[in-house]
Amino acid sequence: MGKISFKPGNMLYPLPVVLVSVADKKGNSNIITVAWAGTVCTNPPMLGISVRPERFSHHMIEETGEFVVNLTTKELVFATDYCGVRSGRDVDKWKETGLTPVPSEAVNAPCISESPVNIECRVTQVERLGSHDLFIAEVAAVHADERYMDEKGGFRLSDAKPIVYSHGEYFDLGEKLGKFGYSARKKR
């Protein structure tokens, strides 16, 4: 079986798709959908999001140095898409999606109540890369919905039905195939 060559580009899919909530210094807030997000460091806990400079939320992140990454679910797929195709310059995304802003603990940008996990972040570095700016941020606080906690205190994100993004489409996660380290313990 052969392979077809493509022009150079990112083919790293699927990606987590997240709703990033932001606020400016005047208290105006917005939500932007970001598919270019990921962990960059464990200690200290850090993550990064890439945002085009022309996006309405970009100036808010730059102005305050804060944002909240809100994980998405099957239940939030419509709001996730809407916040990615509509601009906060033109619409109030909170109102149009029915999402609920709630005060954060460590930053001024609001958390999204309906999200199973909210990750409050403070920007430590901005890398201007070309089409996108990479905001590298330290995690200041994390909130997890108690509905997804098990009796042993473990967090069961899979019960929230998280979604991913791949080549312009959203997918929910399928069946569990294994657990970290299972290959080393599995008897063949």
Side-chain angles (χ1 to χ4, degrees), residues 6-12:
F6 283 95
K7 67 177 183 170
N10 290 328
M11 293 294 284
L12 184 61

Side-chain angles (χ1 to χ4, degrees), residues 156 176-186:
R156 307 218 13 108
K176 177 180 172 181
L177 301 176
K179 184 176 181 179
F180 180 77
Y182 86 99
S183 64
R185 291 187 294 273
K186 186 176 179 182

Side-chain angles (χ1 to χ4, degrees), residues 3 10 14 16 27 31 46 72-73 76 81 83 86 91 98 117 124 130 136 140 147 151 164-165:
K3 295 197 178 198
N10 290 328
I31 309 165
M46 298 177 80
T72 57
T73 64
L76 295 172
D81 186 65
C83 291
R86 299 285 187 230
V91 298
V117 176
T124 60
I136 299 171
R147 291 182 292 170
E151 62 282 346
V164 294
Y165 177 83

